[in-house]
Amino acid sequence: MLRLIFLIILQSVLLVGSQTLLKIAVGIFGKFSFTWAFIAKALTTWQFFMSGVCALSAFFIWIYTLRHYDFSLAYPLLGISYIIGLFSAWLVLGEAVPLTRWIGVIIIVVGVYFTVK
């Protein structure tokens, strides 16, 4: 069980890292346009590249997880990614997080606990 939890946490950190880096990258890109300059800027931004690396790594961890564990146990544990995502928005992106979202995270933590219990 500890191995599964470790895999899910690692996969969730990579998924949230991917989305956080993507959020940072699109801020760097500027206004979207179908131009070669925009595409070149997107493809040469390290945050965009690392977002893809994190997403691909998370994908392979998920494939491994599905191969070795029950879907009915592994999938609900992905709720951990909501917790990590909220902390990433708050700590990395500097977003204001209202109390209602923190309460929601507590509810998710309780749900994840009952899933593995």
Side-chain angles (χ1 to χ4, degrees):
M1 179 61 76
L2 285 177
R3 184 178 178 121
L4 172 61
I5 292 171
F6 171 77
L7 287 168
I8 293 295
I9 289 172
L10 179 60
Q11 195 237 9
S12 295
V13 166
L14 287 167
L15 280 176
V16 171
S18 172
Q19 296 304 308
T20 303
L21 286 166
L22 186 60
K23 170 76 171 166
I24 293 168
V26 296
I28 293 169
F29 297 166
K31 186 177 178 186
F32 179 81
S33 63
F34 285 108
T35 63
W36 289 114
F38 180 84
I39 293 168
K41 188 167 191 173
L43 294 177
T44 58
T45 304
W46 73 266
Q47 292 92 339
F48 184 70
F49 174 77
M50 288 307 297
S51 173
V53 169
C54 287
L56 190 60
S57 300
F59 173 73
F60 284 117
I61 291 171
W62 184 240
I63 289 174
Y64 178 87
T65 303
L66 289 176
R67 175 74 178 100
H68 292 91
Y69 297 97
D70 290 341
F71 185 76
S72 63
L73 179 60
Y75 193 76
L77 287 175
L78 287 177
I80 293 170
S81 64
Y82 294 113
I83 301 162
I84 298 168
L86 189 69
F87 277 101
S88 177
W90 180 49
L91 296 172
V92 178
L93 299 174
E95 296 180 3
V97 180
L99 179 62
T100 53
R101 289 190 197 140
W102 290 112
I103 293 169
V105 164
I106 291 169
I107 293 169
I108 290 169
V109 168
V110 170
V112 168
Y113 172 78
F114 283 118
T115 300
V116 294
K117 188 73 176 147

